[in-house]
């Protein structure tokens, strides 16, 4: 009886082990591996330096961590500067180049890189003997290029009475397969009109921006700007199954959006005609976005005589 019970337990363990290899994350691999998708997100600038009071005549050792929450490989510059006038400290920005691989899903776990950077500022001096202390602001600014893709899929019917494929639908959430980035796709509305050869397709693509930071024209280390009211360029290219779509929208021209400082969302309309003999096809939309983004964090410092 004991021998029979032992073999029964052994068989159950073997079956459990065999099933585990078929599950995501098991020895059979994960079906979820790839770029991190989700809401708009990008580089987070984090001050590691705890010092807030500095004796006059001393420099500051500044440590910064950059957390790349975006799926794009962020290539750019990290610069520190301050609000102190000339003569108090060196006011020219101190910069380091960086290249941080994008956030990804590996084995059902997020892989987000957080490299650290170290700077030493020039000495801060209070020259007026009547002044005992001065407060200034230390700025850390990350400016980087980011390029990502969203790849939603949807059906396109050849007739308006197709029960399994609607002529209009809204794609959102995980179904967008939109890589996380400072600006990314957050919704696609599909509207189709059947034709004798297939269907006309209209996609209303909504792009959203993360709350911190702004779009800039180029990686420029010499300024801490607040974006532009006239708009800065965001490149947008859209195709469906390899066929380029004709896109239009406010401040959109030649595949570029003029993204203004106060723009949280933008909607672009893209059209094309598809020819196919079947009752329906499953279409693959590719939305490619490319831009330069800037994020700044600040820290108060107090210079004491």
């Amino acid at each position: 009886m004991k021998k029979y019970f032992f073999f029964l337990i052994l068989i159950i363990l073997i079956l459990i082990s065999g099933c585990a290899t078929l599950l995501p994350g098991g020895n059979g691999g994960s079906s979820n591996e790839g770029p991190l998708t989700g809401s708009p997100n990008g580089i987070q600038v984090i001050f590691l330096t705890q010092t807030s009071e500095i004796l006059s005549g001393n420099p500051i050792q500044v440590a910064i961590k950059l957390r790349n929450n975006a799926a794009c490989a962020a290539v750019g510059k990290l610069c520190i500067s301050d609000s102190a006038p000339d003569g108090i400290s060196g006011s020219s920005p101190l910069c380091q180049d960086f290249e941080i691989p994008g956030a990804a899903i590996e084995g059902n776990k997020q892989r987000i890189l957080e490299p650290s950077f170290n700077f030493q500022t020039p000495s801060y001096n209070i020259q007026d003997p009547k002044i005992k202390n001065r407060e200034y602001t230390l700025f850390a600014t990350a400016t980087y290029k980011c390029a990502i893709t969203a790849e939603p899929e949807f059906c396109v019917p050849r007739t308006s009475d197709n029960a399994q494929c609607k002529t209009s639908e809204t794609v959102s959430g995980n179904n967008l397969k939109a890589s996380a980035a400072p600006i990314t796709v957050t919704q696609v509305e599909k509207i189709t009109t059947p034709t004798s050869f297939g269907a006309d397709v209209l996609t209303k693509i909504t792009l959203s921006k993360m709350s911190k930071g702004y779009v800039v024209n180029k990686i420029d280390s010499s300024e801490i700007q607040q974006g532009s009211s006239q708009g800065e360029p965001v490149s947008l290219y859209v195709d469906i199954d390899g066929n380029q779509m004709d896109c239009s929208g406010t401040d959109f021209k030649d595949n570029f959006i003029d993204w203004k400082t106060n723009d949280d969302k933008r909607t672009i309309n893209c059209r094309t005609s598809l020819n196919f003999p079947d009752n329906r096809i499953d279409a693959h939309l590719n939305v490619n976005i490319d831009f330069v983004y800037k994020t700044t964090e600040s820290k108060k410092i107090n210079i004491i005589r």
Side-chain angles (χ1 to χ4, degrees):
M1 184 67 180
K2 291 182 178 180
K3 185 176 181 180
Y4 172 79
F5 182 75
F6 171 79
F7 280 111
L8 180 61
I9 295 297
L10 182 61
I11 290 171
I12 292 173
L13 290 175
I14 291 173
L15 289 173
I16 292 174
S17 176
C19 292
T21 62
L22 301 178
L23 296 173
N27 295 334
S30 171
S31 60
N32 295 325
E33 292 195 354
L36 184 65
T37 59
S39 302
N41 209 343
I43 281 186
Q44 181 182 0
V45 181
I46 302 168
F47 276 97
L48 298 177
T49 301
Q50 301 299 318
T51 303
S52 57
E53 292 188 344
I54 302 96
L55 291 176
S56 177
N58 291 331
I60 306 176
Q61 303 292 333
V62 183
I64 304 289
K65 179 170 70 174
L66 297 183
R67 177 183 170 89
N68 188 13
N69 298 298
C72 59
V75 180
K77 286 182 179 292
L78 171 64
C79 300
I80 63 167
S81 58
D82 57 50
S83 63
D86 292 340
I88 300 299
S89 73
S91 56
S92 297
L94 305 173
C95 299
Q96 295 184 36
D97 294 334
F98 64 79
E99 182 172 352
I100 311 173
I105 300 295
E106 295 179 347
N108 286 335
K109 293 183 179 180
Q110 292 185 2
R111 184 212 65 194
I112 298 177
L113 300 184
E114 301 178 329
S116 297
F117 302 82
N118 295 287
F119 298 85
Q120 178 173 299
T121 71
S123 299
Y124 288 82
N125 297 283
I126 298 179
Q127 298 174 340
D128 189 340
K130 296 180 182 179
I131 298 176
K132 293 184 178 181
N133 67 289
R134 279 279 177 86
E135 187 178 74
Y136 300 108
T137 304
L138 193 64
F139 301 100
T141 301
T143 310
Y144 57 100
K145 187 175 178 62
C146 183
I148 57 100
T149 303
E151 301 175 306
E153 299 177 13
F154 48 76
C155 65
V156 177
R158 192 173 177 181
T159 59
S160 58
D161 58 351
N162 192 316
Q164 283 77 39
C165 183
K166 298 179 180 179
T167 56
S168 64
E169 66 174 309
T170 299
V171 184
S172 60
N174 293 334
N175 293 328
L176 288 168
K177 299 181 182 177
S179 297
I183 294 177
T184 192
V185 178
T186 52
Q187 181 175 289
V188 173
E189 183 182 354
K190 173 208 79 175
I191 303 173
T192 64
T193 304
T195 66
S196 56
F197 299 102
D200 292 332
V201 182
L202 166 66
T203 56
K204 295 182 178 181
I205 301 170
T206 299
L207 306 177
S208 300
K209 184 183 81 70
M210 64 183 285
S211 58
K212 270 190 176 295
Y214 40 88
V215 179
V216 294
N217 185 40
K218 59 182 179 179
I219 298 175
D220 186 353
S221 64
S222 63
E223 57 183 314
I224 302 176
Q225 62 191 52
Q226 296 299 318
S228 169
S229 60
Q230 301 300 316
E232 300 290 3
V234 173
S235 172
L236 179 74
Y237 176 88
V238 183
D239 73 73
I240 187 166
D241 288 334
N243 300 306
Q244 182 177 359
M245 302 189 76
D246 182 21
C247 299
S248 62
T250 304
D251 298 322
F252 181 81
K253 184 180 180 181
D254 298 330
N255 293 326
F256 282 94
I257 306 170
D258 286 331
W259 197 286
K260 296 179 175 60
T261 305
N262 296 326
D263 289 342
D264 294 323
K265 293 184 178 182
R266 296 292 296 274
T267 299
I268 303 297
N269 299 323
C270 298
R271 303 172 183 270
T272 194
S273 294
L274 297 178
N275 297 332
F276 51 92
D278 301 325
N279 290 331
R280 56 168 281 179
I281 61 169
D282 293 320
H284 301 78
L285 190 71
N286 296 294
V287 184
N288 300 280
I289 313 169
D290 196 337
F291 54 91
V292 178
Y293 205 77
K294 178 172 282 192
T295 302
T296 299
E297 291 290 346
S298 61
K299 177 182 175 64
K300 295 294 184 181
I301 53 173
N302 191 28
I303 314 302
I304 304 173
R305 284 185 63 84

